[in-house]
Each structure stands twice: as C-alpha cells, then as structure tokens.
Amino acid sequence: MTATPGTPGPTGEATRRLTTAQALIAFLARQYAERDGQRHRLIAATWGIFGHGNVAGIGQALRETGPAMPYLQGRNEQAMVHAAVGHARQSGRLSAHAVTTSIGPGATNLVTGAALATVNHLPVLLLPGDTFATRPADPVLQQLEVAYAGDVSVNDCLRPVSRSFDRITRAEALIPAALHAMRVLTDPAETGAVTLALPQDVQAEAHDWPAEFFAERVWHVRRPAPDPYELGAAVRAVRAARRPLAVVGGGVHHSAAEDALAAFAEATGIPVASTQAGKGSLRHDHPADVGGIGHTGTATADDLARTADLVIGIGTRYTDFTTASATLFQHPGVRFLNINVTGFDAHKLAALPLVADARTALDALTEALAGHRADPAYVTEYTEAKARWERRVDAAYATPDPGARPTQTQVLGLLDELVTDEDILINAAGSLPGDLHKLWRTRSPRQYHVEYGYSCMGYEIPAAIGVCLAAPDRPVWALVGDGTYLMNPTEIVTAVQENLPVKLVVLQNHGYASIGGLSEATGGERFGTDYRHRSADGDFTGPPLPVDLAANAASLGMRVLRAGTVAELRAALAEARAADRPVCVHVETETPGAGQGPPEAQAWWDVPVAGTATRPAAVEARKEYERHSAGRRRHL
C-alpha cells in the first residue's frame, strides 16, 4: 500500500496515509475474535463483485493488500452473502466474511442475504458502494433520486435487515464506525448483518490515519452468567414440573453448549426436542433426544409437547413452525422457562427468563439441580415412543428394489447409509427441510445445516462453498430441489474456480413439491407449482418441461453423475463423497406410493385459507383451517 508508517501527525502521533478503502481493508485484516482462550481471524476473507462504486476503492485496496486479506470472486451478490453466512455458522460465529458490491443493483441484491443473516443471528460484514458524498454530478448512474431526502440512496433498503448500519460520508468517520461494526459482529446477543455503506468518492480519498487504528485487536466473545434470582426461579420451576420438555434452538450451537446440554439431559432425564436450527445439539442416538419439534417434528416430540407442564427453551426464538402456530403446547397449566442470551427471546410466551449464555446457564442449572431426576415412568414413556418413531424412519428409508427410481426419502436413506460424523448436510427450502427434520439421524453437532429461519431458496450451493472454506477437510453435501436450483446455480462457477469439493445432490421432481402440497392443503389445487407446459385451458397440466439440470451443472464446470435407480444412486453418492473436486449427483425422484414417503405432519401450521370460495377444494380447506385454528392459545 502507499503507506507512510511513522510519519508524525498534527499532534505528533504516528500516522499512515491511505485511502479510506485501503485503511478499512488494513484494519479488517488485523481483527480477531476470542472465546474460551481460542483466537480466530474475525474477517477471514472478502467476497466481491466489482462495478462502479467499489472497483476503484475496495477493489484497488484488495489488490494492494494481497494475501493479508484473501479475496473470493462471487457471481451473484445475494449468493456471496449466503456463502459468508455458511462460513460464519460453520465457524461458530467466531469468524466472518466481508462482502463488497457496486452501487445500485449490486447493493440492493444484498438485501435478501442480509435478512437471512440477521434473522439467524449470524455475522456478516456488508460493504456496498454508494453514490458520491460530495455530489459532483447528481444523479449518477444507478442513483435513486428521492425528492424529499437528498441523503437517501438504495442502500437504505439495508437498514431494516441489518443489526447495524452506517454510511461513511467522511474519511475520518470510518474509525468509530469500523470499531462499532466489530463490536456488533462479535456480540452474541446482537450479531447479524452489519452494513457500512461506502460512497465511491470517500473510498478513494486519501487521509492520514492514526497508526494505532491498524494495531492487532482482539474482540472477546463473552459468556454472560445467569442472574442468581433468575437461576433460583428456574431451579424451582424444574423441580416442580412433572412432565418437563427441553426445546433447543440454534443458540445451543452458537454457544458451543452441546456437551453442557448432554450433561444436563443425562443428569435430569429431561427429554430434548430440537428446532431446525438446534437439531444435532444431541446425537440422534442419545437416550434423551426425541427429535425435531413442531410442524415438521417427530410424533415423539410433538406428543410430549402437547402434555408438557414445563417447556425449557434453550437458545430458541419460538417460530411458528416450532409452536405449530401456537397450537402445540396444550397442557392447561403449561409454563415456559427460557434460557437465552437475549432478553427479547428469553421473555417470549410469558416465560420465566434466564438471560445468559446457553453453556454457562446449563452448567449452572445442572449443578443447582443436583440429584433431581425426571419420573422414571416418564423416561420409559418417551424412550418407547422414540423407538417406535425410529421404526417409522427405517420404513421411510427402505429401498427394497435396487432397480427402481428412488423417492426423496429413499435418497436421504441412501445418504444415511454412507455418511459419518464428518459429513455436513446443507439445505434451506422446499420439502427437504421437513423430511430432514423428521428423519435425519444427526451424528455430530455441526453436521445438520438447514437454514430455516428465513428458508431462502437458492441458499444451499453458496452456503456449501462457505462451509467448505470453514471446514476444508469435511465432506460437504448441498441437497437441492429443482426449484431452488433454478433460483441460484451461479456459484457452481465459484466452487469450480476455487476447486472446492462440494457434493451437490439435485433432486428433480419437476416442480415446487413443498408449496404444491401446501397449495393442495389450502384449496389452491397446486396451481402454478409444477414445471409444465400450459394446456389449452391455460392451466399448468401439460407434460413436464424439457429442462436438463444435469446438463446445466455440467455447463458451469461441474462433474455430473446421473443416477436413475436406487443402485445407481448408491454408487454415485459413494463416488461423489470420495471426489476431491466439485461433483453433482443428479437424480429424478419418484412420487411415493401408498405407505411410502415420510410420515405426515405431526402438528399444524397456520396458512390462512380463503374465507369465501366457489371451488369445493377451497371450501373444504376452510373448514379444516377453522378446526385447527380453534386450538390456538395465548400463553400468558
């Protein structure tokens, strides 16, 4: 860089003359996160797609910085954020990526990824280019003019989806803004997307920076301890409960509290159900693990939830899929005890709050409950129910005919045969998350990577790249339906460019299977959910479209293995797992017959049905909707 270390500034301190962009990249390269004595590079790399607004600022700074700040080339701005999120989650939120874009559409393409990061409490630093701060020409290319507010740009779309937003309109403003950004990224309660909007003229402006701004800085990720009063109330609540149930969310993984959870479950005998984000907190074969909970949960967990008198939420924010839209927890006197690092989530459902780090709180609660055990009859009840559910999983996974085309659940069964503790599965949208939540036998804490806070189609492939970067020695599988593949296949090119051995499994069923089923259940009769030609009456009932996703993946540089039968798929998956470069396994799935496929939903989910309709399907669906919604309750 064009730095002049040691040059005295106006008050005698050492300074470095750099552009704002150069100063930012130099600063980011020297930031670290630390927890439990383990230090990690906080901003491990910067993703970028360059255009006017960042090519001569951040782009030039990255070129001069070289290996001190690794650069990753993306193909879609939203996908770059997904890749950064995958990296952050796999890194336990202790390492993040930055993402830089041009102004205009490059910046607005960040919004979906930013929302996903913030919803899931995962750190990512967004550096979108912005229009000129000095306004030498107004408007410039891609500038949105807002007549009532001259300081508004399209980047303001990022405000509601960011945990922190700042616009750097003067070079010297970068110092407090950058320090604040690092604080938020490493705050276990506040973290999410952090946006620093960078006007293109300010990026290129030279400035004398205090040398200490570039000193190595370590940000400690704290573990807040529980308040003694709240801990005492929690202990009394657990001791008084006859049918307690723990519901664990992503906060258990974020806190690395899996061992503490296992110790709590083993000491107390309390069963543990998991949300999508919390799945894998216990191994599938741990005696206390009763599987997923809620609309996509197991019969074991959901039946326990209906009769639980105390629900112990650990690191969960209780989405409608978890609570079955407020119809699941039906015990007349049910109470909630919520362990969460944020007071906002700890107080949900009128709960007793235990505001603390999940691991610290579980350790304290386990110690305070010494000698307390759940009723042996209760333990026997859920143990036997779990065994019954496992037999249902075996039936769904069974592949009796090796020459047949596999169903979607049989694809999961074949993967289940193959993987070990090391493998990581990534998914986000469609019918696969439901099947995985019910059926997948998670073997290690970070094996199950299903993004269901925002459930964003197109997440899987870029997220797999981020996970590969965070865990380069582990097999990484991106499970993708045809609908989500068509949303965002472009990062295949990045996987090929970086030679990251992503194992992409594309399941072709010629339509939106999940939304198709939901449409049918709510009276929509699967309208607009199939990939088919239009028939003469204008409906989508013609033959499937001649779309070849395998050929598309191959055209983007991936090696492709086509599997038409169970036997071919078993061989293709094994070959893909052994590969040291990106591989796509393409399989056309069969519609399950009677008695096949995954178990049906074990709990309701509220999707309003038309209050008035002429078609019989919608009329009947409305009756069913009113029947289920009558069971909704407020927990006060």
Side-chain angles (χ1 to χ4, degrees):
M1 286 190 174
T2 55
T4 54
T7 303
T11 59
E13 76 277 13
T15 63
R16 297 177 65 183
R17 189 160 185 81
L18 302 168
T19 69
T20 305
Q22 291 166 352
L24 176 58
I25 297 302
F27 169 84
L28 295 178
R30 303 282 286 169
Q31 305 304 302
Y32 294 86
E34 176 274 326
R35 186 177 67 184
D36 304 331
Q38 298 294 314
R39 196 171 81 159
H40 304 261
R41 173 80 176 262
L42 179 52
I43 306 298
T46 296
W47 289 87
I49 297 176
F50 297 116
H52 83 99
N54 70 338
V55 66
I58 295 291
Q60 188 275 339
L62 288 168
R63 184 70 181 93
E64 287 200 355
T65 301
M69 175 56 73
Y71 164 68
L72 297 164
Q73 186 176 18
R75 270 72 195 176
N76 174 282
E77 291 87 358
Q78 180 188 135
M80 293 194 296
V81 187
H82 292 337
V85 166
H87 170 87
R89 177 169 172 170
Q90 192 63 34
S91 301
R93 304 197 302 182
L94 298 175
S95 182
H97 284 166
V99 178
T100 180
T101 73
S102 61
I103 69 172
T108 54
N109 279 352
L110 295 173
V111 172
T112 296
L116 182 148
T118 297
V119 163
N120 288 284
H121 300 289
L122 291 167
V124 59
L125 177 62
L126 306 181
L127 306 174
D130 212 331
T131 53
F132 287 80
T134 54
R135 305 186 194 178
D138 199 26
V140 297
L141 178 65
Q142 298 176 326
Q143 178 178 342
L144 173 71
E145 293 185 273
V146 180
Y148 64 84
D151 62 342
V152 169
S153 81
V154 296
N155 285 356
D156 289 278
C157 294
L158 289 160
R159 288 182 183 272
V161 294
S162 298
R163 292 296 296 179
S164 175
F165 179 98
D166 205 344
R167 179 175 282 114
I168 313 304
T169 56
R170 293 178 61 93
E172 54 266 39
L174 176 65
I175 293 177
L179 293 169
H180 176 71
M182 299 304 103
R183 183 195 69 77
V184 176
L185 289 172
T186 54
D187 188 311
E190 290 189 39
T191 194
V194 173
T195 299
L196 296 179
L198 302 169
Q200 57 181 309
D201 51 346
V202 177
Q203 286 184 52
E205 178 184 345
H207 183 72
D208 292 319
W209 303 89
E212 61 262 34
F213 182 54
F214 308 108
E216 187 175 288
R217 199 176 298 265
V218 180
W219 300 84
H220 174 69
V221 180
R222 61 187 178 277
R223 290 189 177 277
D227 174 82
Y229 175 85
E230 292 183 352
L231 179 61
V235 170
R236 290 190 294 274
V238 175
R239 289 188 179 278
R242 294 294 173 264
R243 298 183 63 83
L245 173 67
V247 175
V248 300
V252 172
H253 292 308
H254 298 331
S255 176
E258 296 90 353
D259 289 345
L261 175 65
F264 171 78
E266 289 155 13
T268 63
I270 293 174
V272 176
S274 56
T275 69
Q276 285 279 14
K279 191 173 172 74
S281 296
L282 293 181
R283 275 184 59 100
H284 73 94
D285 53 2
H286 190 285
D289 181 71
V290 294
I293 192 169
H295 178 62
T296 54
T298 68
T300 309
D302 286 352
D303 287 346
L304 291 172
R306 292 184 180 97
T307 59
D309 58 356
L310 178 69
V311 179
I312 307 169
I314 309 171
T316 179
R317 58 194 185 92
Y318 290 110
T319 70
D320 59 344
F321 259 62
T322 298
T323 68
S325 299
T327 65
L328 186 57
F329 304 111
Q330 287 297 324
H331 188 286
V334 65
R335 295 299 307 274
F336 295 83
L337 164 63
N338 291 342
I339 299 170
N340 207 291
V341 75
T342 73
F344 177 79
D345 288 316
H347 283 83
K348 285 180 176 176
L349 303 177
L352 289 172
L354 189 56
V355 181
D357 168 76
R359 195 181 81 178
T360 304
L362 282 169
D363 286 343
L365 191 59
T366 302
E367 181 179 357
L369 286 168
H372 176 76
R373 291 280 299 174
D375 188 300
Y378 183 50
V379 175
T380 299
E381 175 190 335
Y382 72 70
T383 300
E384 293 176 349
K386 176 178 177 175
R388 289 193 296 272
W389 184 261
E390 286 300 311
R391 291 192 288 272
R392 295 180 74 175
V393 175
D394 289 337
Y397 279 175
T399 54
D401 183 358
R405 179 185 293 175
T407 65
Q408 179 167 287
T409 51
Q410 288 171 340
V411 174
L412 299 183
L414 293 172
L415 266 175
D416 181 71
E417 293 177 8
L418 179 67
V419 303
T420 70
D421 292 16
E422 294 302 305
D423 294 68
I424 302 168
L425 270 68
I426 300 171
N427 188 241
S431 57
L432 275 167
D435 290 355
L436 287 163
H437 198 208
K438 289 190 194 84
L439 305 175
W440 187 255
R441 291 162 169 158
T442 311
R443 293 157 171 81
S444 59
R446 299 200 181 277
Q447 178 175 88
Y448 187 87
H449 183 131
V450 174
E451 189 286 300
Y452 217 59
Y454 209 50
S455 186
C456 185
M457 295 178 71
Y459 172 81
E460 295 89 342
I461 296 173
I465 292 171
V467 171
C468 274
L469 292 167
D473 298 324
R474 296 181 64 174
V476 178
W477 300 86
L479 308 184
V480 180
D482 52 351
T484 198
Y485 179 91
L486 288 170
M487 283 275 184
N488 199 5
T490 56
E491 300 317 293
I492 285 175
V493 178
T494 300
V496 171
Q497 182 180 38
E498 299 291 336
N499 196 32
L500 297 170
V502 172
K503 293 92 172 60
L504 173 60
V505 181
V506 177
L507 293 86
Q508 171 64 274
N509 57 24
H510 302 287
Y512 299 115
S514 176
I515 290 299
L518 181 62
S519 173
E520 186 171 35
T522 56
E525 302 175 71
R526 293 186 177 264
F527 175 73
T529 62
D530 290 333
Y531 293 150
R532 296 180 180 275
H533 290 284
R534 283 187 183 272
S535 58
D537 63 0
D539 211 342
F540 296 94
T541 56
L545 297 173
V547 175
D548 190 340
L549 301 184
N552 180 264
S555 75
L556 297 176
M558 253 192 167
R559 182 183 174 207
V560 175
L561 305 173
R562 294 178 184 261
T565 67
V566 166
E568 291 171 354
L569 180 59
R570 180 178 279 114
L573 292 173
E575 187 174 345
R577 189 176 188 277
D580 60 359
R581 67 173 194 170
V583 176
C584 170
V585 176
H586 178 277
V587 56
E588 191 157 344
T589 56
E590 186 64 78
T591 302
Q596 294 182 314
E600 63 184 13
Q602 303 298 305
W604 186 57
W605 182 45
D606 188 349
V607 176
V609 177
T612 180
T614 57
R615 295 178 68 86
V619 173
E620 290 303 311
R622 179 67 189 189
K623 294 178 182 177
E624 188 71 3
Y625 176 79
E626 291 173 352
R627 183 179 72 83
H628 281 291
S629 60
R632 187 188 291 112
R633 61 182 291 192
R634 298 282 187 185
H635 296 288
L636 300 172

